[in-house]
Amino acid sequence: MISRRFVLVCAALSLAACNAPSRSMSVAELNTYRIADIGVTLAPGVSGRNTAFETAFAASRGAVVPVRDGTPESTAVAPRTASTDYFAIISSPEAEVFYRQRTIEILRGEMDKQVGRALLGQRPARLDVVITSLTLPNEAMRILVSQHHVMKATITMRDATSGQALMVYPDMTMLIDGGGGLVGTFLVPALAGGPVERLGAQMAGNYRNWLLQN
């Protein structure tokens, strides 16, 4: 029997392949450039908020994650009356700033790691990455019904000197399994990292493969 995860991986690869536009420059032309800078911006309403970010921000403010008796790491299903301060802190404007900054930091880091040294030339280029959509179902949703994390981005490679757009990859779509049920919901992030990290790694890998395709 074909596993659900195998089907999901194949679907994600097919989605990336179908979504990929034709590249407008050859590898030889691209290799006259080097990636000198990478900028990541988030569209309005995109924050990357997830349980790991909430926990980190709350901890920085001295708040303790409320846990319901008998449910390990049950932040998403803990009664809101358990810690009013905690929920107020993670929903504050300061928390939203933290979620956005952390998301930008992670995505830029993944792009720098996988794409930053992909080109070998001397002319400086800049990558402008705009995250247009980011859907991260919380644990409560994924415990009840398996949900997927989805991110969309438009990536523009520019001549860093003139600002001219050299190539545009519009609406790149990344999809990862959020894990289903109580075990999968907490096991997947523990083994593979948080959703923003995994989506960022997929985005960087997809873009590098597209950039260097023959």
Side-chain angles (χ1 to χ4, degrees):
M1 180 180 293
I2 299 176
S3 71
R4 173 181 165 277
R5 190 173 300 277
F6 177 79
V7 171
L8 178 65
V9 169
C10 291
L13 291 174
S14 298
L15 180 64
C18 292
N19 193 49
S22 299
R23 203 187 54 208
S24 57
M25 298 177 70
S26 68
V27 172
E29 290 174 312
L30 281 170
N31 272 324
T32 65
Y33 285 92
R34 60 181 174 83
I35 305 300
D37 190 23
I38 300 172
V40 177
T41 58
L42 307 181
V46 175
S47 77
R49 177 175 177 174
N50 63 79
T51 300
F53 288 5
E54 291 176 347
T55 302
F57 184 77
S60 74
R61 297 297 186 271
V64 178
V65 179
V67 178
R68 190 173 67 182
D69 291 342
T71 306
E73 299 182 27
S74 58
T75 302
V77 294
R80 297 184 75 84
T81 54
S83 176
T84 303
D85 288 345
Y86 175 84
F87 291 106
I89 287 170
I90 64 173
S91 300
S92 67
E94 293 80 9
E96 290 296 333
V97 171
F98 172 83
Y99 303 147
R100 288 177 65 87
Q101 290 177 340
R102 185 69 182 123
T103 299
I104 289 171
E105 177 183 284
I106 289 171
L107 297 181
R108 188 187 184 285
E110 286 292 344
M111 289 294 289
D112 184 56
K113 180 170 65 177
Q114 296 196 49
V115 186
R117 295 170 181 78
L119 302 181
L120 307 175
Q122 297 299 314
R123 302 163 68 187
R126 172 184 170 86
L127 294 182
D128 287 329
V129 182
V130 180
I131 307 302
T132 56
S133 176
L134 181 54
T135 303
L136 304 175
N138 63 26
E139 279 81 354
M141 288 295 297
R142 289 185 283 122
I143 288 171
L144 297 174
V145 180
S146 180
Q147 297 280 325
H148 307 316
H149 303 298
V150 183
M151 182 170 73
K152 292 187 177 183
T154 293
I155 305 175
T156 304
M157 179 178 169
R158 300 182 183 277
D159 185 295
T161 303
S162 68
Q164 177 186 358
L166 302 171
M167 295 194 306
V168 180
Y169 193 133
D171 297 324
M172 176 186 281
T173 300
M174 282 61 64
L175 180 150
I176 60 172
D177 188 0
L182 185 60
V183 175
T185 295
F186 295 107
L187 181 62
V188 171
L191 295 177
V196 175
E197 288 86 349
R198 288 183 286 145
L199 286 167
Q202 186 181 111
M203 175 179 69
N206 287 355
Y207 187 77
R208 179 187 170 90
N209 290 342
W210 175 76
L211 195 67
L212 299 181
Q213 69 185 357
N214 293 320

